[in-house]
Amino acid sequence: TRECETVVKLADFGTSDMSPETLGEPVDVDHFTTLENTPIEMLILGRDATQSLASDSFSLGLAIVHLFTGHAPYEELLETVLCPAALQDELKKIWEAPGDTPFLPIRKIIENEEEDMTGHVFYHTLYRYLVLLGMPAEEDVEEVAEYRGSEVWKVLFAHLGDGGKRKTRLKQKVLREYQEHCKEFSLWTGSSRVMAAAREKIEAVPGADEALRTLLEYAPSHRGLAAQALHAMCIKSES
């Protein structure tokens, strides 16, 4: 037995919907609460995304990143990382399109929120996820049924993908900016002092790297459940 046991309890049920019958139902504007922690599928799919335990897993993964950095939440660490204007313009055509589109909840929030000169927080949030966690391979996204044909992913790959396709000068500029941001702020490879220290802590906890990557999978169908990921990490730490 251990001489000292540490128990960590994490809870935030302020706006939670805990009714099991809502699982699988479309998300709506009420599900966009802490905007900087919006599960990525809600930004990619809008209300075509469904309520699921996987969304909670993604948010928990971000909370664990916060614990490993030992500093401010990721959005404050990446405060200087802003979505390039050219990428914002293309996402705006999708997210803020008129009519009853799947992205109506996002459009409503953008219309009702004050934004500064850098643009709405949704644009920076999605971009910061990609800086922090990296761009997936295009073929991997195409294999995920819920993302297949996604207009948002098409825009992201057109600007940030590095698959050898020819890009306009404007898109090349966006890609270079993205790559510079990744060099400093990627959780897995970034040179930032805070990110490097976080990696050391992650590597020191058996199973932590695998658990984090599972919780932060971009595709909900590939994402591990929170209890399973944390249990695996605890078992490996004790073995």
Side-chain angles (χ1 to χ4, degrees), residues 107-216:
R107 193 182 85 214
K108 285 182 176 179
I109 293 171
I110 291 175
E111 289 174 348
N112 292 325
E113 293 274 340
E114 291 186 10
E115 61 179 77
D116 58 27
M117 294 298 291
T118 68
H120 193 272
V121 65
F122 278 145
Y123 296 100
H124 303 318
T125 294
L126 179 56
Y127 182 72
R128 286 167 181 160
Y129 286 161
L130 298 171
V131 169
L132 185 72
L133 304 174
M135 277 290 291
E138 191 166 0
E139 57 270 20
D140 290 343
V141 170
E142 283 302 309
E143 290 176 2
V144 179
E146 61 260 52
Y147 286 163
R148 192 171 298 129
S150 162
E151 292 301 314
V152 172
W153 271 125
K154 289 178 182 177
V155 165
L156 294 175
F157 280 116
H159 289 77
L160 308 180
D162 193 17
K165 295 181 180 179
R166 296 189 64 181
K167 298 181 185 294
T168 64
R169 288 184 178 179
L170 188 58
K171 289 176 181 176
Q172 289 175 2
K173 180 181 177 182
V174 171
L175 177 59
R176 287 194 298 270
E177 186 174 350
Y178 171 69
Q179 290 171 335
E180 287 301 311
H181 282 145
C182 290
K183 285 180 183 178
E184 185 171 1
F185 292 108
S186 166
L187 178 61
W188 314 119
T189 61
S191 62
S192 159
R193 177 181 57 82
V194 173
M195 294 304 171
R199 284 197 300 277
E200 288 185 7
K201 294 175 184 177
I202 292 169
E203 291 167 3
V205 178
D209 183 278
E210 181 182 351
L212 256 184
R213 291 179 188 271
T214 298
L215 291 170
L216 295 171

Side-chain angles (χ1 to χ4, degrees), residues 77-93:
L77 295 176
L78 275 66
E79 186 177 11
T80 60
V81 175
L82 303 177
C83 183
L87 180 54
Q88 283 196 49
D89 289 342
E90 292 302 311
L91 289 171
K92 185 174 183 177
K93 294 175 184 177

Side-chain angles (χ1 to χ4, degrees), residues 17 38 50 68 75 96 127 161 191 204:
D17 186 345
T38 300
T50 57
F68 275 118
E75 67 271 15
E96 301 185 48
Y127 182 72
S191 62

